[in-house]
């Protein structure tokens, strides 16, 4: 081994960190793959994972037929799609408004970013209070309507889901705003100015010049938020506990329940692994591939 | 001229280097992981408790394990700690980590100083949310950290904790140190000693809290002549001024008194995690002598005609509740009911103390304390009114099986929840522990006149239509929660289906049938044969000597 060779030297010194990363990544991944192929269930007396039975793809077959798992996926997709769409629209509007200088911009920016700095669990609890039957939201609606409005925000399936989406939009629109604002500020001004010179309106310039140039930034924002929104847990847990019934039970809540309440660790490992693989494929083909320059 | 690397060889060489590094990393990781898990492996033979080979009879047969000297449970526990210290089994600086459920710090702090001064062993207290207490403890099933040493959670979770080997069996220590589990005047009120301390015939916990249900009615409304006249005119029978005798009467009463937004028919638990509590009492009274959850083959009876009726009755009350019912926990129900907003609440014993505190309650002196309504059921001597109760919830103290100081942790629980200390625990303002020992029912520190902020004497020592002490009576007819392995999952399942039924997402029948189907899956997963054996034991913790049958 030639230690004078810079490449060899670099690789040698990088080896401990590589080993650590493999230990933190490969070992747990190997373990979860193994556990997903067993029926590890401590409540059945299986104290350690080596006490469990190897059942092959049994867990995968089971969850493919599990209506509750399917339901949690569907609800999560609904929350993600609707919430992120709204965050994108509101974030873009805010970013466009904040593009130019104006008085008080710094303070307003800080105010806009405040929701993002709130702990998600606190947000969940606040929204639960807001959406109570006799809570401020219904009071505000009553004031606007001039008559008593009593929407059961947390007592019916779809209003509860809508409340969860609203909570997510309130909290994470600022992040989308930040990403899009930075993208807008980095756009080259020449094509935009040229469009104005040629008589394009602001909307035309935005739609045909700015928006296409923003595509990579938008994609980054959507991917970042998607990765995060799929894991939504704290706020929903405190706001609705996944109820009423199962109507706001998202994927994370479902996995938490099966894994930590029911202790069906093999089953949870199988579901979590499948979700991980699906997300990895999504990231690779939906997010990264479109961003690669076409040769 | 040296051989130059061909383009194809370069990627292959890089790949081999990377793969080699990966294999090394994997080997290192696997070795480290094996080392870690090996250190967590149980000692040879697993977690072993000594088997008591002889039992002590009243005549005093010599026990296999010598009892520790001490006139009281508290003294024996203290002597036990001293003996462990003398034997060098408690290193200097030992502390006991204790989890307690949120809102009830007084359960521990009531006696913390005395413990620390007497033993020199400090307590590290950690508050956990009620809904998460079980989740946090079950992590020990995999993490096996040994922390906390002592934790407090609901007795119904005992089966899961025991089978997952998270909690230490206490039978031998209970025999050795005698915590006085049974019998008046110092033992636990029957059947708390059975239901909240034992599982599958062994002792696993020290009960702290007796959550027998009480129905708290607004006495002033029931005794109002105008209300009585109006009720009789509408329903054709006199208003039950001593509380509903049947569930049908209960429904009529809450309908009659439902006058939103100032007065709601009833306050019951319907929020997730708590909702099953108010279903149990409706279920328990539907069959003579008791309405079991399972038959002898472990088939759930939830979807039987009786089970469906219980669920229908449960759902039928929803329109006559506070509209915030889906999100109300006991912490919100207490102040709302105490502000006079409900006719009746089905609630924990501690509500009696809360509602009797003038600083927070507008209904001091206005409450009637009644047994649950019942159902007319077929008995060998004809149709009789069966008024069963349920022990819904109930907190016990457990010892972590992985604690480094299991015996010391046990001694702490015996000491802290001894007959001598329990009155201090339940009278502490920061504690929601309800009286669980006979000695507390009559303790003057705990029992006071109306408006004293203590448990009213009438509540503890009198009951409607019976000479038997009210609190003891209601406890003695309390069916247990589903105290078996898989119980936590079963409660989670029924919780959600009850919620769905209350939200009209499905009928009560569908909810009952789906619950039964899911419970069957849990049974199959755990092993039907094993569960049949557990069920045989489970039936023995039902209170059989007082069945709540109204004579005549």
């Amino acid at each position: 081994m030639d230690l004078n060779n810079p490449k060899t030297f670099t690789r040698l010194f990088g080896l401990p960190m590589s080993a650590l990363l493999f230990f933190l990544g490969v070992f747990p991944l190997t373990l979860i793959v193994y556990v997903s192929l067993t029926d590890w269930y401590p409540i059945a007396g299986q104290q350690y994972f080596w006490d469990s039975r190897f059942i092959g793809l049994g867990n995968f077959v089971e969850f493919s037929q599990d209506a509750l798992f399917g339901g949690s996926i569907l609800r999560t997709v609904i929350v993600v799609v609707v919430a992120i769409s709204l965050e994108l629209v509101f974030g873009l509007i805010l970013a466009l408004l904040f593009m130019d200088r104006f008085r008080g911009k710094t303070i307003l920016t800080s105010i806009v970013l405040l929701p993002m700095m709130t702990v998600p669990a606190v947000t969940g609890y606040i929204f639960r209070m807001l959406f109570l039957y006799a809570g401020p939201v219904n009071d505000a609606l009553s004031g606007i309507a001039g008559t008593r409005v009593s929407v059961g925000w947390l007592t019916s399936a779809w209003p509860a889901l809508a409340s969860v989406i609203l909570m997510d939009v309130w909290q994470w629109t600022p992040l989308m705003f930040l990403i899009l604002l930075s993208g807008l500020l980095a756009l080259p001004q020449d094509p935009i100015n040229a469009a104005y010179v040629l008589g394009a309106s602001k909307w035309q310039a935005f739609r045909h010049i700015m928006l296409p140039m923003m595509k990579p930034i938008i994609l980054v924002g959507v991917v970042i938020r998607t990765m995060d929104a799929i894991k939504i847990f704290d706020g929903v847990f405190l706001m609705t506990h996944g109820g009423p019934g199962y109507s706001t039970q998202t994927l994370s809540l479902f996995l938490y329940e099966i894994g930590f309440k029911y202790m069906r660790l093999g089953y949870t490992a199988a579901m979590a692994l499948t979700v991980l693989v699906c997300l990895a494929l999504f990231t690779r083909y939906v997010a990264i591939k479109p961003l690669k320059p076409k040769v | 001229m040296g051989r130059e690397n061909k383009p194809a060889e370069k990627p292959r060489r890089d790949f081999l280097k990377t793969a080699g590094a990966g294999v090394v990393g994997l080997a290192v990781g696997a070795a480290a992981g094996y080392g870690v898990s090996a250190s967590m492996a149980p000692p040879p033979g697993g977690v072993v408790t000594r088997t008591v080979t002889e039992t002590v009879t009243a005549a005093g047969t010599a026990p296999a394990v010598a009892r520790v000297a001490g006139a009281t449970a508290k003294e024996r526990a203290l002597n036990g700690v001293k003996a462990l210290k003398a034997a060098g089994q408690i290193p200097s600086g030992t502390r006991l980590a204790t989890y307690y459920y949120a809102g009830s710090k007084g359960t521990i702090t009531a006696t913390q100083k005395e413990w620390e001064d007497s033993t020199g062993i400090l307590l590290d207290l950690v508050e956990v949310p009620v809904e998460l207490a079980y989740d946090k403890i079950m992590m020990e099933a995999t993490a096996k950290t040994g922390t906390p040493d002592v934790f407090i959670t609901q007795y119904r979770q005992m089966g899961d904790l025991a089978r997952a080997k998270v909690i230490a069996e206490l039978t031998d220590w209970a025999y050795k140190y005698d915590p006085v589990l049974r019998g008046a005047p110092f033992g636990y009120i029957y059947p708390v000693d059975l239901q909240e301390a034992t599982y599958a015939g062994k002792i696993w916990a020290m009960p702290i809290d007796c959550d027998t249900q009480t129905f708290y009615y607004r006495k002033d409304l029931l005794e109002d002549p105008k209300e009585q006249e109006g009720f009789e005119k509408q329903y054709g029978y006199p208003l039950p001024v001593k509380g509903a005798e049947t569930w049908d009467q209960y429904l009529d009463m809450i309908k009659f008194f439902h006058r939103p937004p100032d007065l709601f028919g009833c306050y019951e638990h319907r929020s997730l995690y708590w909702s099953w509590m108010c279903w149990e009492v409706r279920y328990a009274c539907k069959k003579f002598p008791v309405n079991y959850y399972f038959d002898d083959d472990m088939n759930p009876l939830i979807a039987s005609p009786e089970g469906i009726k219980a669920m229908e009755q449960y759902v039928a009350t929803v329109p006559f509740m506070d509209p915030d019912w889906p999100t109300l926990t006991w912490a919100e129900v207490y102040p709302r009911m105490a502000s006079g907003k409900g006719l009746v609440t089905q609630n924990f014993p501690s509500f009696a103390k809360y509602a009797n505190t003038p600083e927070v309650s507008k209904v001091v002196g206005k409450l009637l304390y009644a047994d649950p309504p019942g159902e007319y059921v077929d008995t060998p001597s004809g149709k009789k009114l069966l008024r069963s109760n349920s022990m819904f919830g109930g907190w016990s103290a457990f010892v972590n099986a992985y604690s480094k100081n299991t015996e010391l942790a046990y001694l702490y629980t015996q000491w802290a929840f001894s007959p001598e200390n329990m009155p201090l625990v339940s009278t502490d303002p920061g504690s929601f522990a309800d009286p669980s020992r006979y000695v507390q029912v009559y303790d003057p520190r705990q029992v006071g006149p109306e408006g004293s902020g203590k448990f009213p004497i009438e509540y503890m020592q009198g009951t409607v239509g019976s000479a038997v002490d009210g609190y003891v009576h209601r406890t003695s007819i309390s069916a247990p929660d589903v105290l078996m392995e898989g119980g936590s999952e079963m409660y989670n399942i029924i919780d959600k289906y009850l919620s769905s039924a209350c939200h009209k997402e499905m009928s009560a029948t569908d909810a009952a049938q789906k619950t039964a189907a899911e419970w069957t899956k849990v049974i199959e997963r755990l092993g039907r044969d094993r569960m049949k054996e557990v069920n045989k034991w489970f039936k023995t913790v039902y209170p059989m000597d007082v069945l709540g049958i109204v004579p005549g």
Side-chain angles (χ1 to χ4, degrees), chain B residues 284-466:
Chain B
C285 64
K286 293 289 183 284
K287 209 163 192 175
F288 177 84
V290 286
N291 195 20
Y292 294 113
Y293 298 111
F294 300 94
D295 64 17
D296 290 339
D297 289 325
M298 283 308 287
N299 296 309
L301 298 172
I302 307 300
S304 61
E306 295 83 11
I308 291 174
K309 187 173 184 183
M311 207 160 275
E312 285 171 343
Q313 287 172 339
Y314 177 89
V315 174
T317 58
V318 169
F320 312 106
M321 299 173 76
D322 187 316
D324 280 325
W325 61 264
T327 53
L328 298 181
T329 67
W330 67 271
E332 290 98 19
V333 166
Y334 275 25
R336 291 192 190 203
M337 184 68 195
S339 70
K341 295 198 77 156
L343 166 74
V344 58
T345 184
Q346 175 187 351
N347 232 310
F348 302 104
S350 58
F351 180 69
K353 195 166 67 171
Y354 185 91
N356 206 32
T357 306
E359 290 83 4
V360 297
S361 172
K362 292 181 182 166
V363 296
V364 175
K366 293 182 183 176
L367 290 181
L368 166 77
Y369 313 105
D371 290 358
E375 203 75 39
Y376 279 96
V377 297
D378 292 320
T379 75
S381 48
K383 271 247 195 283
K384 302 279 185 197
L385 179 62
L386 177 61
R387 294 178 78 163
S388 296
N389 203 352
S390 84
M391 190 78 72
F392 67 165
W395 299 85
S396 294
F398 299 85
V399 172
N400 187 344
Y402 301 102
S403 163
K404 292 178 181 58
N405 302 292
T406 46
E407 191 167 357
L408 174 63
Y410 165 78
L411 289 170
Y412 169 70
T413 64
Q414 173 170 323
W415 183 92
F417 308 117
S418 59
E420 296 71 37
N421 273 340
M422 277 305 287
L424 294 173
V425 170
S426 54
T427 53
D428 189 284
S431 168
F432 279 102
D434 302 310
S436 51
R437 290 185 181 269
Y438 287 105
V439 69
Q440 292 171 271
V441 176
Y442 308 102
D443 192 291
R445 290 171 293 183
Q446 188 146 266
V447 178
E450 293 285 3
S452 64
K454 299 184 183 186
F455 285 98
I457 292 172
E458 186 192 25
Y459 172 70
M460 298 298 280
Q461 298 187 354
T463 193
V464 173
S466 168

Side-chain angles (χ1 to χ4, degrees), chain A residues 52-279:
Chain A
S52 58
R53 255 185 336 140
F54 185 82
I55 59 169
L57 298 176
N59 289 322
F60 295 89
V61 171
E62 186 180 345
F63 82 67
S64 69
Q65 298 162 352
D66 189 339
L68 292 177
F69 177 64
S72 70
I73 297 264
L74 178 65
R75 282 184 284 276
T76 306
V77 167
I78 292 172
V79 169
V80 168
V81 167
V82 175
I84 290 175
S85 303
L86 290 172
E87 286 163 24
L88 187 60
V89 168
F90 295 145
L92 192 56
I93 293 170
L94 279 172
L96 288 168
L97 289 172
F98 277 69
M99 265 185 78
D100 300 322
R101 282 175 180 265
F102 58 86
R103 200 168 169 178
K105 179 180 172 180
T106 311
I107 293 175
L108 271 178
T109 306
S110 304
I111 292 171
V112 166
L113 295 180
L114 272 176
M116 201 171 78
M117 296 173 206
T118 313
V119 174
V122 172
T123 306
Y125 198 72
I126 289 171
F127 270 75
R128 181 181 157 195
M129 294 291 116
L130 286 173
F131 282 112
L132 284 176
Y133 200 78
V137 170
N138 276 343
D139 284 346
L141 291 172
S142 302
I144 294 168
T147 181
R148 183 69 205 165
V149 171
S150 299
V151 178
W153 294 102
L154 303 176
T155 63
S156 305
W158 288 109
L161 203 58
S163 308
V164 166
I165 290 170
L166 278 171
M167 173 191 64
D168 193 77
V169 169
W170 178 85
Q171 176 140 44
W172 296 110
T173 296
L175 177 63
M176 195 67 88
F177 154 71
L178 267 184
I179 294 170
L180 295 174
L181 180 63
S182 61
L184 284 171
L185 292 174
L187 288 179
Q189 291 302 306
D190 291 344
I192 301 167
N193 292 336
Y196 288 143
V197 165
L198 291 171
S201 66
K202 281 208 168 179
W203 167 249
Q204 285 171 323
F206 170 75
R207 171 134 162 39
H208 297 290
I209 308 291
M210 292 168 74
L211 208 50
M213 285 199 288
M214 283 284 290
K215 187 181 160 189
I217 301 293
I218 290 173
L219 199 56
V220 166
V222 166
V223 167
I224 288 173
R225 276 300 303 137
T226 301
M227 295 295 109
D228 217 23
I230 280 175
K231 296 179 292 182
I232 186 171
F233 179 82
D234 320 46
V236 185
F237 185 85
L238 277 149
M239 195 172 163
T240 62
H241 289 284
Y246 289 99
S247 55
T248 57
Q249 189 179 58
T250 55
L251 181 61
S252 294
L253 270 169
F254 178 73
L255 291 177
Y256 170 83
E257 193 167 273
I258 303 294
F260 292 105
K261 284 189 182 294
Y262 302 170
M263 296 304 286
R264 293 192 60 197
L265 300 174
Y267 190 50
T268 308
M271 289 188 287
L273 192 61
T274 305
V275 170
L276 175 67
V277 168
C278 292
L279 282 179

Side-chain angles (χ1 to χ4, degrees), chain B residues 43-259:
Chain B
V47 177
V48 176
T49 56
R50 286 177 299 154
T51 304
V52 177
T53 55
E54 289 179 308
T55 52
V56 175
T57 66
T61 308
V65 178
R67 294 222 180 199
V68 169
T72 64
K74 184 176 174 180
E75 196 180 325
R76 286 191 291 275
L78 211 52
N79 289 341
V81 174
K82 289 174 185 169
L84 288 178
K85 277 189 164 180
Q89 292 182 32
I90 304 179
S92 166
T94 295
R95 302 169 77 106
L96 286 179
T98 305
Y99 282 5
Y100 66 92
Y101 58 100
S104 198
K105 191 175 184 181
T107 306
I108 305 293
T109 56
T111 56
Q112 181 180 4
K113 188 171 184 317
E114 188 187 342
W115 165 264
E116 291 176 347
D117 290 344
S118 307
T119 63
I121 295 162
L122 301 181
L123 300 177
D124 292 325
L125 305 187
V126 178
E127 182 175 281
V128 295
V130 168
E131 295 88 345
L132 296 180
Y134 172 77
D135 304 356
K136 285 195 176 292
I137 290 310
M138 274 310 265
M139 289 191 192
E140 280 291 280
T142 49
K144 301 175 176 63
T145 63
T147 299
D149 300 283
V150 173
F151 59 90
I152 298 171
T153 191
Q154 294 183 333
Y155 79 92
R156 63 187 172 94
Q157 295 155 351
M158 208 180 332
D160 291 331
L161 294 169
R163 189 84 198 281
K165 301 185 175 68
V166 171
I167 54 177
E169 189 196 327
L170 310 180
T171 311
D172 281 3
W173 291 319
Y175 185 83
K176 183 178 175 184
Y177 296 106
D178 189 8
V180 189
L181 291 178
R182 198 158 292 170
F186 298 112
Y188 288 99
I189 301 170
Y190 173 82
V192 170
D193 55 317
L194 281 180
Q195 294 175 1
E196 298 194 23
T198 69
Y199 180 71
K202 298 176 183 174
I203 300 170
W204 297 90
M206 200 64 60
I208 296 172
D209 172 54
C210 167
D211 278 338
T212 185
Q213 297 194 43
T214 301
F215 279 65
Y216 302 89
Y217 292 86
R218 283 282 301 280
K219 192 167 55 173
D220 56 319
L221 293 174
L222 297 184
E223 290 174 351
D224 186 327
K226 282 188 185 163
E227 301 287 3
Q228 291 176 0
E229 190 187 333
F231 183 89
E232 187 162 358
K233 199 173 173 184
Q234 187 168 340
Y235 291 98
Y237 64 91
L239 177 64
V241 295
K242 294 182 177 178
E245 287 191 342
T246 67
W247 286 105
D248 290 336
Q249 285 180 1
Y250 180 80
L251 188 62
D252 288 343
M253 289 170 76
I254 64 173
K255 271 186 197 172
F256 181 75
F257 283 100
H258 186 64
R259 299 159 194 173

